[in-house]
Every structure is written in C-alpha cells, then in structure tokens.
Amino acid sequence: MKKLLYSERILDDLARYSSLESEPVRLLFREWHPIRKSEEFRCFIKDRKLAGISQYHYAGFDECWHENVPLAFAEIYGRQEERKATISAFIEEKVIPHLHVDDLVVDLWIDQRVTLIEINPYGLSDPCLFTYQELENCLGEFRCVQRPKMVL
C-alpha cells in the first residue's frame, strides 16, 4: 500500500476520479511486472473507434545502441505494421465491445500476448505522439519515435 501512495501518477488519477459523481472509484490490483519501454503503447478510442496508437515512452529514452537510434524505437523498427495489427485486433475484440463510454485511453503491454495495463480518461491523459486535436480526425494511426536524422 505504501508504494501506491508514493506514486504521483496514482495520486493524480485518484484525485481526478474522486470528483466524478457518475461512477464510483474502483481499484484493481495486479501482480507487478517490469515492462520494457518498447512494449508499452497508449491507444486512443474516440466515438468507440480506435483513433490512434502511440508508443508510450516517446521521450527520455535509454542511451542509443546503434546508429543513434533510441533503444525503444530500435526494438519496434520494422515491426510497426505487426504491432498496429496486434493492437487493433485486441482493441476491436476485447475492449470496444465492453465499453460503457464512447471515448477513453487504454494503455497496453505487448510481450508474448497483449495485456491491458490501465484505462484513462480521454482528453486528460498525455496524448504522447499525438495532440487531442489530431486525434479528432485520425482512424487507427500508429505513431512511434522516428529515426533521428544523423548530424555530422
């Protein structure tokens, strides 16, 4: 319980949710698993449709390991379409049919399978590599950190 109270992210979320009168606050606790930065994605659902998928960790990467490519991107590079297809299928089959709201943000972990990490309010969560204005007109777009230009 102490670890929960030391998390700024958790305290911020609880403060926001506690002001919602339409739904009671529900907490679900799971076993902790370390997640590699390249395996976490944020998905934006708008009007019950997948608007966008973003690499969750888009700033402050680990040191570059090859040709000045951020490690979190290097592990996704060449697999963008595969990741997009996996995430899109999961959202369409496992998330959207069970929604009781039209707009939300979902964080996912992709390892051997797709795991739902958490659900966040749409418009209040970090839009990662999007802006909320862009998401109004997107339909399933996938964004990840791009290869930086080489500076000589």
Side-chain angles (χ1 to χ4, degrees), residues 34-126:
I35 298 173
R36 293 172 43 188
K37 290 180 181 180
S38 61
E39 297 173 345
E40 189 171 356
F41 296 88
R42 177 157 278 183
C43 305
F44 302 89
I45 298 171
K46 178 75 177 147
D47 298 324
R48 294 182 177 263
K49 292 183 178 78
L50 180 60
I53 304 164
S54 176
Q55 185 175 4
Y56 184 83
H57 295 281
Y58 59 92
F61 292 115
D62 298 330
E63 290 297 316
C64 301
W65 69 277
H66 179 66
E67 296 181 18
N68 293 327
V69 177
L71 181 58
F73 172 69
E75 294 178 4
I76 297 170
Y77 185 73
R79 300 179 72 190
Q80 295 100 313
E81 289 302 317
E82 173 192 339
R83 290 294 192 216
K84 179 180 178 181
T86 300
I87 291 168
S88 297
F90 181 84
I91 294 290
E92 291 296 323
E93 296 168 16
K94 304 290 185 184
V95 177
I96 290 176
H98 303 286
L99 293 181
H100 64 277
V101 296
D102 293 336
D103 309 327
L104 67 129
V105 177
V106 177
D107 294 341
L108 302 177
W109 169 30
I110 301 179
D111 189 26
Q112 301 299 322
R113 61 188 174 105
V114 181
T115 302
L116 176 69
I117 298 171
E118 67 182 16
I119 298 170
N120 300 287
Y122 186 90
L124 297 176
S125 303
D126 180 358

